[in-house]
Amino acid sequence: MVERPVKKRGQASQTWDGPEVATQALVMDLMEVYFEVVYPIFPFFHQPTIVRRVSRGEHRTNRAFFGAIMAMCAISSARVRDGAVCSGQWDPASLSEPSSETFFAASEQALPKGTTGAAELDDLRAYAALSITAIQYGQPRTTRHYLGLYHTSVETDFLHDETHWPKDTGIVETEERRRLFWSMYTLDVYTSIMWGGVIRSREAQANVTYPKTLNDSEISNAGYGQPPSVSLDSPPLTSDSDIQLRWLHGWNFTTDLYRILEHVVDHFRRRRPEHRLRTHIDGIFGQDSVSGATVLDAILGMYKALPARFKETPPASEAVGHRLNFQTANIAATIQLVRMMLFAAEDTTVEQRCCVASELLQALADVPVMYLRAISAPLLHHLAGIGNLLGSVFEKGLPESLYQHVRTVLSSMVRLLASLEVGLYCTAGASSRIHRLIESIDEYVKSQRQLAEELPQSLAQVQCESIAVPPYMGPNSPLFLLPPELLDDWSWAFDFAHADGQ
């Protein structure tokens, strides 16, 4: 059996003295922002526990906890700067200094340097929060860097298996670890789709239970359903007392969708030989897999079984209602992403891809814009992925009539982006870029139409001469191919991460 060094948690952090990055009041405010707009998708912390620890100033004397709190402040500050908050209680100017980048740097400075000991939970949370903050900045390379550190720690300490977790792990920490593990699993699959990386988390190799579908106020080290002595979380649901109507039930459902997506991505990449070397091993295991229709039927059956509350976004005045609405938005977007990847993997028609993209945009249009803005940059990169999949339809030529279908979808996307990107740091001008792309393609299509109309007259005038017919438009072909410069423009228009590249 492999023996691993296990450090007593917090042992090296007791005498640590952290820098004064921000006032206690600002840290508390940014923590509140986190629980409002980040926590419903990335619930890294148990709210009553973290509020109590920060209120007591533990982050000033505990290195790992300081790193996690500074990373939490970094993502909260970035969301405030981008206007991604639900309530109107916040004054962005009062939360703007120090900047998100200052918190980010403070967290980086507190990370362990070259240690071979067991990673503390707060170090893992710092890696996780820094990775999603980098998405907010539009820096996918930095996102992948901190994802890599997280996954290295998980692999080193066998944290993909609950039986290897520290023996003194209490109920609260167990739930925090479960939420963190599956949050980072979904982020791993998401980043692989958005930026073409490898999926380092494999759902079949994980031995981590889904988190309990209970509110934080119902979880304590005394047991499940026992509120802590000082409850700073929203109260348990009353009208929706059935456990299936807890917001984490919808969150776990989204995790199921990402587990399906992992396999869909594998299938998609196997069918694109230009992205993968072919070997004799392919013949051993074969290329057969479950059909897209079968997968889609299973997903729609799962969705049908969901409580109706996860398919609507009624007005909400309390935290629990907001968190339920976040799940509605995230479920709608993720289902359509699965559908788009299924169609892309099976070489479906342009009409089918346009239909799925249109349904995605309509599903998002049905969600109040405040929740879409609160999900913020990750949702916009999600839309960028949809745009890039649509762009692949031009690779083999496209009839003008089908281009009009694509154009309609793109125009809808421009309108949605314009309503979401207001103030966003990393995607400013995205809707304008796509609008200019549409105009450029329109001009190109118009020129090809004129060329097709003029060509018969030219042929009649020079009956004995041979005329070189351009490859993108012939008199007997309804197809046109976009020139390389427009295809490059397409990639650029849907690149929402100019600041860092790939």
Side-chain angles (χ1 to χ4, degrees):
M1 180 177 177
V2 178
E3 292 188 6
R4 296 170 288 111
V6 177
K7 173 181 63 180
K8 290 184 179 179
R9 288 175 290 161
Q11 184 181 57
S13 303
Q14 297 305 311
T15 60
W16 188 81
D17 186 18
E20 188 73 28
V21 178
T23 65
Q24 178 78 353
L26 179 58
V27 171
M28 295 294 290
D29 283 346
L30 290 174
M31 180 169 59
E32 193 171 342
V33 171
Y34 166 83
F35 281 103
E36 179 181 308
V37 299
V38 181
Y39 172 86
I41 307 298
F42 296 106
F44 298 151
F45 300 92
H46 177 253
Q47 188 170 3
T49 299
I50 188 179
V51 170
R52 183 169 60 251
R53 292 182 67 188
V54 173
S55 298
R56 294 174 176 177
E58 289 185 29
H59 59 294
R60 295 172 178 169
T61 59
N62 183 306
R63 176 204 58 78
F65 189 49
F66 175 85
I69 294 304
M70 291 299 100
M72 180 198 68
C73 288
I75 182 59
S76 297
S77 178
R79 292 287 176 92
V80 171
R81 178 173 62 192
D82 289 347
V85 290
C86 290
S87 66
Q89 66 172 315
W90 302 110
D91 174 17
S94 68
L95 303 177
S96 63
E97 292 295 336
S99 68
S100 172
E101 287 77 9
T102 299
F103 288 113
F104 194 98
S107 179
E108 288 184 307
Q109 288 298 313
L111 294 175
K113 306 295 192 295
T115 179
T116 58
E120 296 191 35
L121 172 59
D122 284 320
D123 289 326
L124 298 176
R125 290 196 278 214
Y127 296 145
L130 290 175
S131 66
I132 60 174
T133 304
I135 295 176
Q136 200 72 25
Y137 293 166
Q139 298 177 357
R141 190 174 187 275
T142 304
T143 293
R144 293 194 295 269
H145 172 72
Y146 284 107
L147 272 174
L149 292 178
Y150 168 84
H151 287 296
T152 296
S153 298
V154 168
E155 183 174 354
T156 300
D157 296 326
F158 297 96
L159 300 180
H160 63 284
D161 186 343
E162 286 189 13
T163 63
H164 289 280
W165 290 358
K167 301 302 180 184
D168 59 342
T169 301
I171 290 175
V172 169
E173 184 175 323
T174 295
E175 291 304 312
E176 288 179 317
R177 285 180 176 271
R178 287 170 175 171
R179 294 178 185 183
L180 176 64
F181 180 86
W182 288 112
S183 290
M184 297 308 286
Y185 170 81
T186 62
L187 186 62
D188 192 22
V189 177
Y190 167 89
T191 55
S192 174
I193 294 171
M194 296 301 111
W195 297 304
V198 298
I199 299 176
R200 286 161 288 194
S201 306
R202 310 303 297 193
E203 61 97 15
Q205 296 175 331
N207 184 32
V208 176
T209 304
Y210 277 7
K212 299 286 187 182
T213 55
L214 297 173
N215 295 319
D216 280 0
S217 58
E218 299 168 290
I219 301 172
S220 74
N221 287 325
Y224 294 106
Q226 301 296 319
S229 56
V230 179
S231 177
L232 296 171
D233 188 23
S234 53
L237 293 172
T238 53
S239 59
D240 293 333
S241 58
D242 188 314
I243 198 168
Q244 285 197 330
L245 290 181
R246 307 304 173 99
W247 69 272
L248 273 164
H249 181 76
W251 190 88
N252 286 341
F253 179 85
T254 303
T255 303
D256 282 341
L257 294 178
Y258 272 96
R259 294 175 76 171
I260 294 171
L261 258 175
E262 176 197 326
H263 297 279
V264 174
V265 170
D266 287 344
H267 182 50
F268 173 73
R269 291 178 178 171
R270 278 196 299 267
R271 290 180 58 87
R272 296 181 71 85
E274 68 271 20
H275 294 164
R276 180 171 171 269
L277 295 175
R278 313 295 292 183
T279 73
H280 64 282
I281 297 175
D282 295 325
I284 298 176
F285 294 98
Q287 297 296 309
D288 294 336
S289 61
V290 178
S291 70
T294 300
V295 174
L296 187 56
D297 284 345
I299 291 172
L300 295 179
M302 292 163 54
Y303 183 72
K304 184 178 181 180
L306 267 181
R309 182 61 181 81
F310 293 110
K311 304 169 189 176
E312 57 190 22
T313 50
S317 59
E318 296 184 354
V320 170
H322 284 303
R323 290 168 187 173
L324 286 165
N325 287 348
F326 269 107
Q327 307 319 308
T328 299
N330 206 25
I331 288 169
T334 307
I335 283 180
Q336 299 304 330
L337 180 60
V338 176
R339 293 185 64 191
M340 200 68 170
M341 291 299 296
L342 283 170
F343 284 135
E346 298 200 344
D347 297 325
T348 46
T349 67
V350 176
E351 293 96 328
Q352 288 174 314
R353 295 192 190 192
C354 288
C355 179
V356 172
S358 296
E359 289 177 4
L360 165 65
L361 297 174
Q362 183 57 53
L364 295 179
D366 292 339
V367 176
V369 71
M370 63 183 290
Y371 296 108
L372 302 181
R373 283 182 179 167
I375 294 175
S376 198
L379 177 61
L380 296 183
H381 287 295
H382 184 126
L383 292 175
I386 298 295
N388 284 323
L389 285 172
L390 276 178
S392 65
V393 303
F394 290 102
E395 293 175 358
K396 297 179 182 179
L398 198 66
E400 183 183 341
S401 59
L402 289 184
Y403 164 65
Q404 296 303 325
H405 285 289
V406 177
R407 189 188 188 285
T408 299
V409 175
L410 290 177
S411 297
S412 298
M413 189 176 293
V414 166
R415 290 191 293 272
L416 178 61
L417 280 170
S419 68
L420 298 181
E421 67 179 354
V422 177
L424 267 179
Y425 178 76
C426 70
T427 60
S431 60
S432 298
R433 291 201 304 273
I434 298 172
H435 181 70
R436 289 195 297 270
L437 173 65
I438 295 172
E439 291 180 337
S440 296
I441 297 177
D442 284 347
E443 287 297 319
Y444 179 77
V445 172
K446 180 179 178 181
S447 69
Q448 297 311 295
R449 189 186 306 117
Q450 291 174 345
L451 179 62
E453 293 171 353
E454 295 170 359
L455 190 58
Q457 299 178 4
S458 300
L459 286 173
Q461 293 172 1
V462 288
Q463 297 177 358
C464 298
E465 297 182 19
S466 61
I467 290 183
V469 179
Y472 45 75
M473 176 67 76
N476 299 317
S477 173
L479 301 178
F480 69 89
L481 292 172
L482 292 183
E485 59 269 22
L486 276 181
L487 289 175
D488 290 342
D489 287 348
W490 187 288
S491 299
W492 178 78
F494 286 96
D495 179 7
F496 295 166
H498 300 297
D500 194 21
Q502 298 195 38

